[in-house]
mmCIF file with all atom_site columns, all heavy atoms in Angstrom:
data_model
loop_
_atom_site.group_PDB
_atom_site.id
_atom_site.type_symbol
_atom_site.label_atom_id
_atom_site.label_alt_id
_atom_site.label_comp_id
_atom_site.label_asym_id
_atom_site.label_entity_id
_atom_site.label_seq_id
_atom_site.pdbx_PDB_ins_code
_atom_site.Cartn_x
_atom_site.Cartn_y
_atom_site.Cartn_z
_atom_site.occupancy
_atom_site.B_iso_or_equiv
_atom_site.pdbx_formal_charge
_atom_site.auth_seq_id
_atom_site.auth_comp_id
_atom_site.auth_asym_id
_atom_site.auth_atom_id
_atom_site.pdbx_PDB_model_num
ATOM 1   N N   . PHE A 1 258 ? -136.149 6.939  114.078 1.00 0.00 ? 258 PHE A N   1
ATOM 2   C CA  . PHE A 1 258 ? -135.520 6.072  113.076 1.00 0.00 ? 258 PHE A CA  1
ATOM 3   C C   . PHE A 1 258 ? -136.359 4.808  112.900 1.00 0.00 ? 258 PHE A C   1
ATOM 4   O O   . PHE A 1 258 ? -137.185 4.733  112.012 1.00 0.00 ? 258 PHE A O   1
ATOM 5   C CB  . PHE A 1 258 ? -134.088 5.730  113.470 1.00 0.00 ? 258 PHE A CB  1
ATOM 6   C CG  . PHE A 1 258 ? -133.415 4.788  112.510 1.00 0.00 ? 258 PHE A CG  1
ATOM 7   C CD1 . PHE A 1 258 ? -133.221 5.149  111.191 1.00 0.00 ? 258 PHE A CD1 1
ATOM 8   C CD2 . PHE A 1 258 ? -132.996 3.531  112.911 1.00 0.00 ? 258 PHE A CD2 1
ATOM 9   C CE1 . PHE A 1 258 ? -132.622 4.286  110.281 1.00 0.00 ? 258 PHE A CE1 1
ATOM 10  C CE2 . PHE A 1 258 ? -132.384 2.658  112.024 1.00 0.00 ? 258 PHE A CE2 1
ATOM 11  C CZ  . PHE A 1 258 ? -132.207 3.028  110.701 1.00 0.00 ? 258 PHE A CZ  1
ATOM 12  N N   . THR A 1 259 ? -136.217 3.843  113.803 1.00 0.00 ? 259 THR A N   1
ATOM 13  C CA  . THR A 1 259 ? -136.981 2.605  113.703 1.00 0.00 ? 259 THR A CA  1
ATOM 14  C C   . THR A 1 259 ? -138.476 2.873  113.793 1.00 0.00 ? 259 THR A C   1
ATOM 15  O O   . THR A 1 259 ? -139.275 2.256  113.084 1.00 0.00 ? 259 THR A O   1
ATOM 16  C CB  . THR A 1 259 ? -136.559 1.627  114.813 1.00 0.00 ? 259 THR A CB  1
ATOM 17  O OG1 . THR A 1 259 ? -135.146 1.465  114.773 1.00 0.00 ? 259 THR A OG1 1
ATOM 18  C CG2 . THR A 1 259 ? -137.238 0.289  114.652 1.00 0.00 ? 259 THR A CG2 1
ATOM 19  N N   . GLY A 1 260 ? -138.867 3.791  114.659 1.00 0.00 ? 260 GLY A N   1
ATOM 20  C CA  . GLY A 1 260 ? -140.281 4.067  114.867 1.00 0.00 ? 260 GLY A CA  1
ATOM 21  C C   . GLY A 1 260 ? -140.977 4.713  113.692 1.00 0.00 ? 260 GLY A C   1
ATOM 22  O O   . GLY A 1 260 ? -142.206 4.768  113.651 1.00 0.00 ? 260 GLY A O   1
ATOM 23  N N   . LYS A 1 261 ? -140.207 5.197  112.709 1.00 0.00 ? 261 LYS A N   1
ATOM 24  C CA  . LYS A 1 261 ? -140.795 5.899  111.574 1.00 0.00 ? 261 LYS A CA  1
ATOM 25  C C   . LYS A 1 261 ? -140.385 5.305  110.221 1.00 0.00 ? 261 LYS A C   1
ATOM 26  O O   . LYS A 1 261 ? -140.758 5.852  109.184 1.00 0.00 ? 261 LYS A O   1
ATOM 27  C CB  . LYS A 1 261 ? -140.372 7.370  111.596 1.00 0.00 ? 261 LYS A CB  1
ATOM 28  C CG  . LYS A 1 261 ? -141.032 8.203  112.681 1.00 0.00 ? 261 LYS A CG  1
ATOM 29  C CD  . LYS A 1 261 ? -142.453 8.556  112.311 1.00 0.00 ? 261 LYS A CD  1
ATOM 30  C CE  . LYS A 1 261 ? -142.981 9.689  113.180 1.00 0.00 ? 261 LYS A CE  1
ATOM 31  N NZ  . LYS A 1 261 ? -144.339 10.099 112.767 1.00 0.00 ? 261 LYS A NZ  1
ATOM 32  N N   . SER A 1 262 ? -139.611 4.245  110.213 1.00 0.00 ? 262 SER A N   1
ATOM 33  C CA  . SER A 1 262 ? -139.009 3.791  108.959 1.00 0.00 ? 262 SER A CA  1
ATOM 34  C C   . SER A 1 262 ? -139.711 2.598  108.331 1.00 0.00 ? 262 SER A C   1
ATOM 35  O O   . SER A 1 262 ? -139.288 2.133  107.277 1.00 0.00 ? 262 SER A O   1
ATOM 36  C CB  . SER A 1 262 ? -137.541 3.413  109.208 1.00 0.00 ? 262 SER A CB  1
ATOM 37  O OG  . SER A 1 262 ? -137.463 2.296  110.093 1.00 0.00 ? 262 SER A OG  1
ATOM 38  N N   . PHE A 1 263 ? -140.793 2.106  108.934 1.00 0.00 ? 263 PHE A N   1
ATOM 39  C CA  . PHE A 1 263 ? -141.375 0.845  108.464 1.00 0.00 ? 263 PHE A CA  1
ATOM 40  C C   . PHE A 1 263 ? -142.490 1.035  107.447 1.00 0.00 ? 263 PHE A C   1
ATOM 41  O O   . PHE A 1 263 ? -142.800 0.107  106.693 1.00 0.00 ? 263 PHE A O   1
ATOM 42  C CB  . PHE A 1 263 ? -141.894 0.032  109.659 1.00 0.00 ? 263 PHE A CB  1
ATOM 43  C CG  . PHE A 1 263 ? -143.011 0.699  110.412 1.00 0.00 ? 263 PHE A CG  1
ATOM 44  C CD1 . PHE A 1 263 ? -144.333 0.372  110.152 1.00 0.00 ? 263 PHE A CD1 1
ATOM 45  C CD2 . PHE A 1 263 ? -142.737 1.671  111.371 1.00 0.00 ? 263 PHE A CD2 1
ATOM 46  C CE1 . PHE A 1 263 ? -145.359 0.996  110.843 1.00 0.00 ? 263 PHE A CE1 1
ATOM 47  C CE2 . PHE A 1 263 ? -143.769 2.292  112.070 1.00 0.00 ? 263 PHE A CE2 1
ATOM 48  C CZ  . PHE A 1 263 ? -145.079 1.964  111.791 1.00 0.00 ? 263 PHE A CZ  1
ATOM 49  N N   . ALA A 1 264 ? -143.123 2.202  107.393 1.00 0.00 ? 264 ALA A N   1
ATOM 50  C CA  . ALA A 1 264 ? -144.205 2.400  106.422 1.00 0.00 ? 264 ALA A CA  1
ATOM 51  C C   . ALA A 1 264 ? -144.603 3.862  106.326 1.00 0.00 ? 264 ALA A C   1
ATOM 52  O O   . ALA A 1 264 ? -144.739 4.552  107.340 1.00 0.00 ? 264 ALA A O   1
ATOM 53  C CB  . ALA A 1 264 ? -145.435 1.569  106.787 1.00 0.00 ? 264 ALA A CB  1
ATOM 54  N N   . THR A 1 265 ? -144.808 4.318  105.096 1.00 0.00 ? 265 THR A N   1
ATOM 55  C CA  . THR A 1 265 ? -145.481 5.578  104.785 1.00 0.00 ? 265 THR A CA  1
ATOM 56  C C   . THR A 1 265 ? -146.346 5.284  103.574 1.00 0.00 ? 265 THR A C   1
ATOM 57  O O   . THR A 1 265 ? -145.868 4.707  102.597 1.00 0.00 ? 265 THR A O   1
ATOM 58  C CB  . THR A 1 265 ? -144.478 6.691  104.450 1.00 0.00 ? 265 THR A CB  1
ATOM 59  O OG1 . THR A 1 265 ? -143.606 6.897  105.564 1.00 0.00 ? 265 THR A OG1 1
ATOM 60  C CG2 . THR A 1 265 ? -145.191 7.990  104.123 1.00 0.00 ? 265 THR A CG2 1
ATOM 61  N N   . THR A 1 266 ? -147.620 5.634  103.627 1.00 0.00 ? 266 THR A N   1
ATOM 62  C CA  . THR A 1 266 ? -148.493 5.367  102.487 1.00 0.00 ? 266 THR A CA  1
ATOM 63  C C   . THR A 1 266 ? -149.055 6.670  101.933 1.00 0.00 ? 266 THR A C   1
ATOM 64  O O   . THR A 1 266 ? -149.374 7.589  102.679 1.00 0.00 ? 266 THR A O   1
ATOM 65  C CB  . THR A 1 266 ? -149.652 4.418  102.869 1.00 0.00 ? 266 THR A CB  1
ATOM 66  O OG1 . THR A 1 266 ? -150.274 4.872  104.071 1.00 0.00 ? 266 THR A OG1 1
ATOM 67  C CG2 . THR A 1 266 ? -149.139 3.012  103.099 1.00 0.00 ? 266 THR A CG2 1
ATOM 68  N N   . ILE A 1 267 ? -149.139 6.733  100.605 1.00 0.00 ? 267 ILE A N   1
ATOM 69  C CA  . ILE A 1 267 ? -149.596 7.941  99.924  1.00 0.00 ? 267 ILE A CA  1
ATOM 70  C C   . ILE A 1 267 ? -150.738 7.600  98.975  1.00 0.00 ? 267 ILE A C   1
ATOM 71  O O   . ILE A 1 267 ? -150.871 6.466  98.513  1.00 0.00 ? 267 ILE A O   1
ATOM 72  C CB  . ILE A 1 267 ? -148.457 8.615  99.136  1.00 0.00 ? 267 ILE A CB  1
ATOM 73  C CG1 . ILE A 1 267 ? -147.905 7.673  98.063  1.00 0.00 ? 267 ILE A CG1 1
ATOM 74  C CG2 . ILE A 1 267 ? -147.358 9.087  100.073 1.00 0.00 ? 267 ILE A CG2 1
ATOM 75  C CD1 . ILE A 1 267 ? -146.873 8.309  97.147  1.00 0.00 ? 267 ILE A CD1 1
ATOM 76  N N   . SER A 1 268 ? -151.561 8.593  98.683  1.00 0.00 ? 268 SER A N   1
ATOM 77  C CA  . SER A 1 268 ? -152.585 8.404  97.660  1.00 0.00 ? 268 SER A CA  1
ATOM 78  C C   . SER A 1 268 ? -151.891 8.284  96.306  1.00 0.00 ? 268 SER A C   1
ATOM 79  O O   . SER A 1 268 ? -150.876 8.931  96.056  1.00 0.00 ? 268 SER A O   1
ATOM 80  C CB  . SER A 1 268 ? -153.576 9.563  97.672  1.00 0.00 ? 268 SER A CB  1
ATOM 81  O OG  . SER A 1 268 ? -152.924 10.810 97.599  1.00 0.00 ? 268 SER A OG  1
ATOM 82  N N   . PRO A 1 269 ? -152.408 7.440  95.407  1.00 0.00 ? 269 PRO A N   1
ATOM 83  C CA  . PRO A 1 269 ? -151.707 7.184  94.142  1.00 0.00 ? 269 PRO A CA  1
ATOM 84  C C   . PRO A 1 269 ? -151.830 8.299  93.114  1.00 0.00 ? 269 PRO A C   1
ATOM 85  O O   . PRO A 1 269 ? -151.104 8.288  92.122  1.00 0.00 ? 269 PRO A O   1
ATOM 86  C CB  . PRO A 1 269 ? -152.374 5.902  93.632  1.00 0.00 ? 269 PRO A CB  1
ATOM 87  C CG  . PRO A 1 269 ? -153.732 5.918  94.236  1.00 0.00 ? 269 PRO A CG  1
ATOM 88  C CD  . PRO A 1 269 ? -153.585 6.578  95.578  1.00 0.00 ? 269 PRO A CD  1
ATOM 89  N N   . TRP A 1 270 ? -152.746 9.253  93.340  1.00 0.00 ? 270 TRP A N   1
ATOM 90  C CA  . TRP A 1 270 ? -152.948 10.330 92.370  1.00 0.00 ? 270 TRP A CA  1
ATOM 91  C C   . TRP A 1 270 ? -152.319 11.622 92.866  1.00 0.00 ? 270 TRP A C   1
ATOM 92  O O   . TRP A 1 270 ? -152.523 12.014 94.005  1.00 0.00 ? 270 TRP A O   1
ATOM 93  C CB  . TRP A 1 270 ? -154.437 10.554 92.115  1.00 0.00 ? 270 TRP A CB  1
ATOM 94  C CG  . TRP A 1 270 ? -155.103 9.361  91.513  1.00 0.00 ? 270 TRP A CG  1
ATOM 95  C CD1 . TRP A 1 270 ? -155.968 8.500  92.133  1.00 0.00 ? 270 TRP A CD1 1
ATOM 96  C CD2 . TRP A 1 270 ? -154.936 8.870  90.178  1.00 0.00 ? 270 TRP A CD2 1
ATOM 97  N NE1 . TRP A 1 270 ? -156.353 7.520  91.257  1.00 0.00 ? 270 TRP A NE1 1
ATOM 98  C CE2 . TRP A 1 270 ? -155.740 7.719  90.056  1.00 0.00 ? 270 TRP A CE2 1
ATOM 99  C CE3 . TRP A 1 270 ? -154.183 9.289  89.078  1.00 0.00 ? 270 TRP A CE3 1
ATOM 100 C CZ2 . TRP A 1 270 ? -155.818 6.976  88.881  1.00 0.00 ? 270 TRP A CZ2 1
ATOM 101 C CZ3 . TRP A 1 270 ? -154.257 8.558  87.911  1.00 0.00 ? 270 TRP A CZ3 1
ATOM 102 C CH2 . TRP A 1 270 ? -155.067 7.418  87.814  1.00 0.00 ? 270 TRP A CH2 1
ATOM 103 N N   . ILE A 1 271 ? -151.556 12.281 91.995  1.00 0.00 ? 271 ILE A N   1
ATOM 104 C CA  . ILE A 1 271 ? -150.954 13.573 92.321  1.00 0.00 ? 271 ILE A CA  1
ATOM 105 C C   . ILE A 1 271 ? -151.853 14.684 91.787  1.00 0.00 ? 271 ILE A C   1
ATOM 106 O O   . ILE A 1 271 ? -152.041 14.827 90.573  1.00 0.00 ? 271 ILE A O   1
ATOM 107 C CB  . ILE A 1 271 ? -149.551 13.715 91.705  1.00 0.00 ? 271 ILE A CB  1
ATOM 108 C CG1 . ILE A 1 271 ? -148.635 12.572 92.140  1.00 0.00 ? 271 ILE A CG1 1
ATOM 109 C CG2 . ILE A 1 271 ? -148.942 15.058 92.106  1.00 0.00 ? 271 ILE A CG2 1
ATOM 110 C CD1 . ILE A 1 271 ? -147.249 12.622 91.519  1.00 0.00 ? 271 ILE A CD1 1
ATOM 111 N N   . VAL A 1 272 ? -152.412 15.459 92.688  1.00 0.00 ? 272 VAL A N   1
ATOM 112 C CA  . VAL A 1 272 ? -153.209 16.625 92.297  1.00 0.00 ? 272 VAL A CA  1
ATOM 113 C C   . VAL A 1 272 ? -152.238 17.775 92.050  1.00 0.00 ? 272 VAL A C   1
ATOM 114 O O   . VAL A 1 272 ? -151.499 18.173 92.948  1.00 0.00 ? 272 VAL A O   1
ATOM 115 C CB  . VAL A 1 272 ? -154.229 16.992 93.391  1.00 0.00 ? 272 VAL A CB  1
ATOM 116 C CG1 . VAL A 1 272 ? -154.988 18.251 93.011  1.00 0.00 ? 272 VAL A CG1 1
ATOM 117 C CG2 . VAL A 1 272 ? -155.184 15.835 93.633  1.00 0.00 ? 272 VAL A CG2 1
ATOM 118 N N   . THR A 1 273 ? -152.230 18.296 90.854  1.00 0.00 ? 273 THR A N   1
ATOM 119 C CA  . THR A 1 273 ? -151.237 19.318 90.512  1.00 0.00 ? 273 THR A CA  1
ATOM 120 C C   . THR A 1 273 ? -151.530 20.633 91.233  1.00 0.00 ? 273 THR A C   1
ATOM 121 O O   . THR A 1 273 ? -152.676 20.948 91.561  1.00 0.00 ? 273 THR A O   1
ATOM 122 C CB  . THR A 1 273 ? -151.213 19.582 88.995  1.00 0.00 ? 273 THR A CB  1
ATOM 123 O OG1 . THR A 1 273 ? -152.483 20.115 88.589  1.00 0.00 ? 273 THR A OG1 1
ATOM 124 C CG2 . THR A 1 273 ? -150.920 18.307 88.223  1.00 0.00 ? 273 THR A CG2 1
ATOM 125 N N   . VAL A 1 274 ? -150.475 21.392 91.444  1.00 0.00 ? 274 VAL A N   1
ATOM 126 C CA  . VAL A 1 274 ? -150.620 22.720 92.035  1.00 0.00 ? 274 VAL A CA  1
ATOM 127 C C   . VAL A 1 274 ? -151.488 23.599 91.134  1.00 0.00 ? 274 VAL A C   1
ATOM 128 O O   . VAL A 1 274 ? -152.278 24.420 91.616  1.00 0.00 ? 274 VAL A O   1
ATOM 129 C CB  . VAL A 1 274 ? -149.231 23.351 92.259  1.00 0.00 ? 274 VAL A CB  1
ATOM 130 C CG1 . VAL A 1 274 ? -149.356 24.812 92.668  1.00 0.00 ? 274 VAL A CG1 1
ATOM 131 C CG2 . VAL A 1 274 ? -148.476 22.581 93.328  1.00 0.00 ? 274 VAL A CG2 1
ATOM 132 N N   . GLU A 1 275 ? -151.381 23.389 89.829  1.00 0.00 ? 275 GLU A N   1
ATOM 133 C CA  . GLU A 1 275 ? -152.198 24.175 88.908  1.00 0.00 ? 275 GLU A CA  1
ATOM 134 C C   . GLU A 1 275 ? -153.686 23.910 89.126  1.00 0.00 ? 275 GLU A C   1
ATOM 135 O O   . GLU A 1 275 ? -154.508 24.821 89.070  1.00 0.00 ? 275 GLU A O   1
ATOM 136 C CB  . GLU A 1 275 ? -151.812 23.880 87.461  1.00 0.00 ? 275 GLU A CB  1
ATOM 137 C CG  . GLU A 1 275 ? -152.546 24.758 86.467  1.00 0.00 ? 275 GLU A CG  1
ATOM 138 C CD  . GLU A 1 275 ? -152.055 24.608 85.037  1.00 0.00 ? 275 GLU A CD  1
ATOM 139 O OE1 . GLU A 1 275 ? -151.261 23.678 84.770  1.00 0.00 ? 275 GLU A OE1 1
ATOM 140 O OE2 . GLU A 1 275 ? -152.470 25.426 84.195  1.00 0.00 ? 275 GLU A OE2 1
ATOM 141 N N   . ALA A 1 276 ? -154.054 22.655 89.395  1.00 0.00 ? 276 ALA A N   1
ATOM 142 C CA  . ALA A 1 276 ? -155.468 22.342 89.626  1.00 0.00 ? 276 ALA A CA  1
ATOM 143 C C   . ALA A 1 276 ? -155.975 22.986 90.917  1.00 0.00 ? 276 ALA A C   1
ATOM 144 O O   . ALA A 1 276 ? -157.167 23.289 91.031  1.00 0.00 ? 276 ALA A O   1
ATOM 145 C CB  . ALA A 1 276 ? -155.643 20.820 89.698  1.00 0.00 ? 276 ALA A CB  1
#
Side-chain angles (χ1 to χ4, degrees):
F258 177 62
T259 307
K261 288 283 196 176
S262 65
F263 63 97
T265 301
T266 48
I267 61 174
S268 52
W270 297 107
I271 304 178
V272 177
T273 64
V274 171
E275 185 173 10

